[in-house]
């Protein structure tokens, strides 16, 4: 039994690796492990001073000569610098390329750039910046991106309509009062109960007077009628309308349907008229309560913006009772005229004319 065991051990020993080879393998494994876990620290990059950079432009003067220049030197300096560069060029570069090919290689390639539109320069008085196109055409408003011709034309038409009528002015006078001159007129007529047939009868007289005044307007003039008590009633819901024959005839039908009743709100009616921005407003009322306060007169004066004059015509029976009535003060503050109509005298005069 001992002999067999010793023989087996001797056979295993003959098959084992040599000791020197085993040592080499062990050291190789250790070296690989150390290389994986131990890494050298990165080398620091030394600081470098800032260097100025720029763009160098070239200009091909002849087939054998190319000039280099920037904005800090003139043409003479650029030629001298070019000569220095050629003098200091390495000898190995001579003859490397033909003269024409070398000059072409140094030139900036031709690039097709979009053309600059005509128009004023932005942010520069010496015309050194990029130009931009003008955004206005024939005094129209700014043309927005994506806005087509139809939108532009519609905007222009609306602007012209809002600008008011043009051409010669008209001069109107109601009940023998002062003349008012303009191209657009708004007639603000009180239709409260005191102005009706059971009161002064001034509403019917105002309608007859207005018919004669409108006949003196031309079709290019514009007008609107606001009959009011607590609320304003408009002759037309389209704002100012042309003084055409058709509209003047429609005015008669409008007055035929206006009834006199209720109270009076002078300020509401005048503010409605001022929103139309006419040249002239005629206010026809007996000036009954509630009277306009000084604060309300000041507000109305500001709303005229120096553009609209308010002519006030007051109705009453007998002589004028209040020479400092709010209608007189309102007319004076807004460059208008004030007049008083004695309905008792007006009725006698009308009967005498018949």
């Amino acid at each position: 039994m001992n002999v067999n065991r010793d023989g087996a051990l001797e056979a295993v020993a003959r098959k084992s690796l040599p000791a020197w080879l085993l040592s080499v393998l062990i050291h190789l494994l250790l070296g690989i492990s150390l290389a994986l876990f131990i890494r050298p620290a990165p080398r620091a990059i030394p600081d470098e001073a800032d260097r100025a950079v720029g763009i160098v432009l070239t200009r091909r003067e002849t087939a054998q000569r190319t000039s280099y220049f920037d904005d800090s030197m003139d043409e003479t300096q650029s030629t001298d610098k070019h000569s220095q560069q050629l003098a200091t060029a390495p000898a190995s570069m001579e003859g490397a390329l033909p003269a024409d090919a070398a000059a072409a290689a140094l030139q900036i390639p031709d690039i097709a750039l979009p053309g600059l539109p005509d128009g004023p320069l932005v942010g520069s008085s010496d015309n050194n910046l990029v130009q931009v196109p003008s955004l206005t055409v024939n005094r129209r408003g700014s043309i927005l991106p994506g806005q087509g011709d139809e939108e532009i034309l519609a905007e222009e038409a609306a602007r012209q309509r809002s600008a008011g009528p043009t051409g010669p002015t008209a001069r109107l006078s109601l009940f023998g009062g002062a003349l008012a001159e303009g191209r657009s007129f708004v007639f603000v007529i009180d239709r409260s109960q005191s102005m009706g047939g059971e009161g002064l009868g001034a509403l019917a007289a105002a309608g007859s007077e207005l018919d004669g005044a409108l006949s003196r307007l031309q079709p290019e003039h514009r007008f609107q009628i606001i009959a009011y008590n607590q609320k304003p009633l408009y002759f037309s819901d389209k704002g100012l309308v042309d003084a055409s024959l058709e509209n003047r005839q429609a005015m008669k039908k409008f007055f035929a349907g206006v009834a006199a009743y209720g109270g009076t709100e002078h300020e509401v009616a005048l503010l409605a008229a001022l929103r139309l921005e006419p040249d002239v407003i005629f206010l026809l009322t007996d000036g009954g309560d509630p009277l306009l306060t000084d604060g309300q007169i000041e507000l109305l004066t500001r709303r005229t913006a120096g553009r609209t004059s308010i002519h006030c015509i007051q109705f009453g029976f007998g002589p004028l009772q209040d020479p400092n009535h709010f209608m007189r003060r309102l007319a004076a503050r807004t460059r208008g005229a004030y007049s008083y109509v004695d309905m008792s005298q007006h009725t006698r005069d009308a009967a005498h004319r018949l």
Side-chain angles (χ1 to χ4, degrees), residues 12-22 25:
V12 170
R14 286 196 301 266
K15 294 180 181 180
S16 300
L17 294 175
W20 65 270
L21 182 58
L22 182 60
L25 292 175

Side-chain angles (χ1 to χ4, degrees), residues 29-104:
L29 292 175
L30 289 175
I32 293 174
S33 299
L34 291 175
L36 292 175
F37 291 100
I38 300 176
R39 297 180 179 179
R43 298 178 61 185
I45 300 175
D47 294 336
E48 184 178 355
D50 294 339
R51 292 181 298 175
V53 297
I55 299 175
V56 177
L57 302 180
T58 67
R59 181 179 63 194
R60 183 177 181 181
E61 298 178 349
T62 63
Q64 303 295 331
R65 179 179 179 183
T66 302
S67 295
Y68 301 82
F69 58 92
D70 56 24
D71 56 359
S72 63
M73 60 182 180
D74 57 19
E75 185 175 352
T76 303
Q77 292 174 326
S78 66
T79 305
D80 295 341
K81 186 173 181 180
H82 170 64
S83 302
Q84 294 174 4
Q85 289 176 340
L86 292 179
T88 57
S92 59
M93 294 181 60
E94 297 180 0
L97 289 174
D100 292 342

Side-chain angles (χ1 to χ4, degrees), residues 289-321:
D289 294 334
L291 308 180
L292 291 181
T293 65
D294 290 339
Q296 290 173 313
I297 293 175
E298 178 64 26
L299 171 63
L300 293 169
T301 302
R302 291 199 305 269
R303 291 294 180 88
T304 63
R307 174 188 57 247
T308 303
S309 60
I310 301 178
H311 295 254
C312 299
I313 301 173
Q314 183 181 5
F315 300 97
F317 255 107
L320 177 64
Q321 301 297 319

